[in-house]
Amino acid sequence: MKTRVAVMFGGKSVEHEVSVISGIQAIMSMDQEKYEVIPVYLTKKNEMYVGEEIGKIEAYKDIPGLLSKSQRVILVNEDDHIVLMPYPVKLFGKKGIEVDIAFPIVHGTNVEDGALQGYLKTIGIPFVGCDVTASALGMDKYASKVVLKENGVPVLDGYCFTTSDYAEIDSILDKVEKEIGYPAIVKPVDLGSSVGISVARNRSELTNSIDDAFLYARKIIIEHAITKLREINCAVLGDENEAIASECEEPLHTKDILSYEDKYVSNAKGSGSKGMAGVSRKIPAELSPEKRKEVQELAVKSFQKLGCNGVARIDFMIDEENGKLYFNEINTIPGSLAFYLWEPVGISYPELLDRMIRLALKRVREEESITFSFDTNILNQNSLGGVKGGKMGKLKAPLQ
């Protein structure tokens, strides 16, 4: 009997369109002999839809038209059976679609940051990829670096600023000029795909960069920008107990940093977007055997210290002036699931997807052995009577 996999993509995120590409790439590559795939599209309001056209990339040229031909659904747990049930409630007489596991292929805030994972966990459906904690930690560029620095992973020091700091922007500018200097790189703390990221070389540019970053997030991080920079990426497959590293890549870009246009726009012209699989890059990256080993070992260490599961891509920076390697960020659900980094080491995309699903099911088996509740008598009548003179005894009855 085939395992029913709900592949979820889209969502309320500035990386919505990128997620659609990644999700449909995976759907087209999944082993149809082993898995029955149910494409589930999340709109920009996080509403879920299923239908015959949902898994076809060409249908997304007219999303309103696509939705008019599709069925909105919600996830329901009925006696440990997870069902994609037609919505609204008046349609519950219609038969739903039972699924065995969810496979979120989503990017960015509101979906990749633990929000969707928490929803799935609350419902009780097994899901592929990082759990709630690792997803949230991986999305926060500042928090992840704090954790990794404590565990011996080299990172660039930076400062995190909030919207309250932004109200006194001159203080931010003064602090950056005094503590970081130029050039400085400004990033939203919880976005990917290079959205809202820019390099500033003077106070005017820094002001513009901060204004832009705060359009996309409530917190930003500012670091010193490496002048002679090489970017090296490496993916990791596994869990916190056992993981392996992929081949390394060096992405090529047109500016100081790899931009959104480099990733998703320029490579799509004339041929249809291939997502991150279409980015100009060197695979394998031109690295000495020693440096390649250093990158791969640090990638696995970062992955495991953050408690990741499934596949993640870790992006590193090399300062060519001194040869030092720094962790930059982790992508807990990387664009195109970084399948192009696994093919050079003999792992095909269908096999990669299969391994990710098996890792998720392994986590379910491990969690089933953990005690999450135990029987007590604290709520029986006698126990309640014992607290009448304490704080509970002072509570008022609720208003009717």
Side-chain angles (χ1 to χ4, degrees):
M1 185 176 179
K2 295 182 181 180
T3 301
R4 287 191 164 187
V5 182
V7 177
M8 310 175 76
F9 54 90
K12 184 181 179 181
S13 167
V14 295
E15 300 175 72
H16 178 96
E17 288 77 8
V18 180
S19 172
V20 172
I21 296 168
S22 293
I24 293 178
Q25 281 177 332
I27 290 168
M28 294 173 63
S29 299
M30 200 164 287
D31 186 349
Q32 301 293 328
E33 296 296 320
K34 193 170 184 178
Y35 301 107
E36 181 179 346
V37 182
I38 298 98
V40 181
Y41 171 59
L42 278 66
T43 69
K44 292 185 178 181
K45 295 181 179 180
N46 278 343
E47 298 166 342
M48 292 183 285
Y49 281 82
V50 298
E52 292 184 5
E53 303 294 312
I54 290 295
K56 300 177 181 178
I57 189 65
E58 60 272 13
Y60 291 86
K61 294 178 181 178
D62 178 15
I63 292 180
L66 170 64
L67 297 184
S68 69
K69 297 181 290 185
S70 304
Q71 173 65 60
R72 185 179 172 187
V73 294
I74 58 173
L75 275 169
V76 177
N77 189 333
E78 287 285 341
D79 298 323
D80 292 328
H81 293 280
I82 307 299
V83 181
L84 286 164
M85 193 68 74
Y87 181 87
V89 176
K90 64 182 180 181
L91 296 176
F92 268 22
K94 296 178 66 176
K95 185 178 180 181
I97 304 171
E98 189 169 343
V99 297
D100 299 307
I101 190 167
F103 198 142
I105 305 180
V106 288
H107 307 312
T109 49
N110 303 309
V111 280
E112 188 184 356
D113 58 0
L116 178 58
Q117 291 75 11
Y119 169 66
L120 296 173
K121 192 173 185 68
T122 299
I123 290 174
I125 178 172
F127 60 90
V128 176
C130 292
D131 64 12
V132 178
T133 303
S135 296
L137 193 55
M139 181 59 65
D140 191 312
K141 293 179 174 66
Y142 184 74
S144 59
K145 288 186 176 184
V146 170
V147 170
L148 292 177
K149 185 177 181 179
E150 286 293 312
N151 284 277
V153 175
V155 302
L156 283 178
D157 291 330
Y159 293 94
C160 185
F161 299 100
T162 67
T163 51
S164 62
D165 298 317
Y166 185 39
E168 302 290 339
I169 190 170
D170 284 337
S171 296
I172 298 179
L173 299 172
D174 293 341
K175 187 177 184 66
V176 171
E177 290 180 335
K178 179 181 178 181
E179 304 291 342
I180 296 176
Y182 297 111
I185 186 166
V186 183
K187 312 172 186 179
V189 81
D190 56 0
L191 285 185
S193 295
S194 300
V195 175
I197 298 178
S198 59
V199 174
R201 292 175 176 80
N202 54 56
R203 194 175 182 93
S204 175
E205 289 183 2
L206 181 59
T207 301
N208 292 335
S209 294
I210 292 171
D211 288 340
D212 185 53
F214 271 116
L215 290 174
Y216 302 101
R218 295 171 57 246
K219 293 192 296 182
I220 66 171
I221 183 172
I222 304 180
E223 304 166 339
H224 181 71
I226 297 174
T227 303
K228 293 184 178 180
L229 170 68
R230 284 187 72 190
E231 296 180 57
I232 302 294
N233 301 338
C234 181
V236 178
L237 169 65
D239 57 21
E240 67 272 18
N241 297 311
E242 185 176 358
I244 59 173
S246 72
E247 183 54 88
C248 299
E249 67 163 340
E250 180 176 4
L252 305 177
H253 42 85
T254 58
K255 300 177 182 178
D256 299 300
I257 56 173
L258 189 67
S259 68
Y260 185 96
E261 288 73 18
D262 287 320
K263 291 178 177 179
Y264 306 114
V265 179
S266 60
N267 70 79
K269 293 178 181 178
S271 60
S273 181
K274 300 178 182 178
M276 279 298 292
V279 174
S280 297
R281 55 168 55 85
K282 290 181 182 178
I283 301 179
E286 294 179 3
L287 299 168
S288 67
E290 295 78 15
K291 185 61 72 174
R292 175 173 279 101
K293 181 180 179 182
E294 182 184 4
V295 169
Q296 291 174 327
E297 288 179 349
L298 270 180
V300 171
K301 183 177 182 178
S302 302
F303 180 95
Q304 293 186 312
K305 291 301 181 182
L306 293 172
C308 296
N309 189 291
V311 161
R313 192 189 77 238
I314 295 86
D315 299 349
F316 293 96
M317 301 178 291
I318 296 178
D319 186 340
E320 292 198 283
E321 290 187 345
N322 54 28
K324 290 185 178 179
L325 177 70
Y326 299 96
F327 169 93
N328 184 31
E329 64 180 18
I330 186 168
N331 298 271
T332 55
I333 307 179
S336 301
L337 295 180
F339 75 84
Y340 48 86
L341 292 177
W342 295 101
E343 291 176 337
V345 297
I347 300 178
S348 67
Y349 198 11
E351 183 182 352
L352 178 67
L353 296 166
D354 181 60
R355 291 196 189 190
M356 293 178 71
I357 292 171
R358 285 190 277 128
L359 282 164
L361 295 175
K362 173 190 172 187
R363 180 172 61 201
V364 171
R365 293 192 298 272
E366 291 173 346
E367 288 180 346
E368 286 175 348
S369 67
I370 299 174
T371 300
F372 289 102
S373 64
F374 55 92
D375 294 330
T376 73
N377 63 353
I378 194 171
L379 296 179
N380 68 27
Q381 189 65 38
N382 290 334
S383 295
L384 288 175
V387 298
K388 287 182 179 178
K391 291 183 179 179
M392 288 187 67
K394 299 177 182 179
L395 297 178
K396 302 293 185 179
L399 295 175
Q400 300 297 319

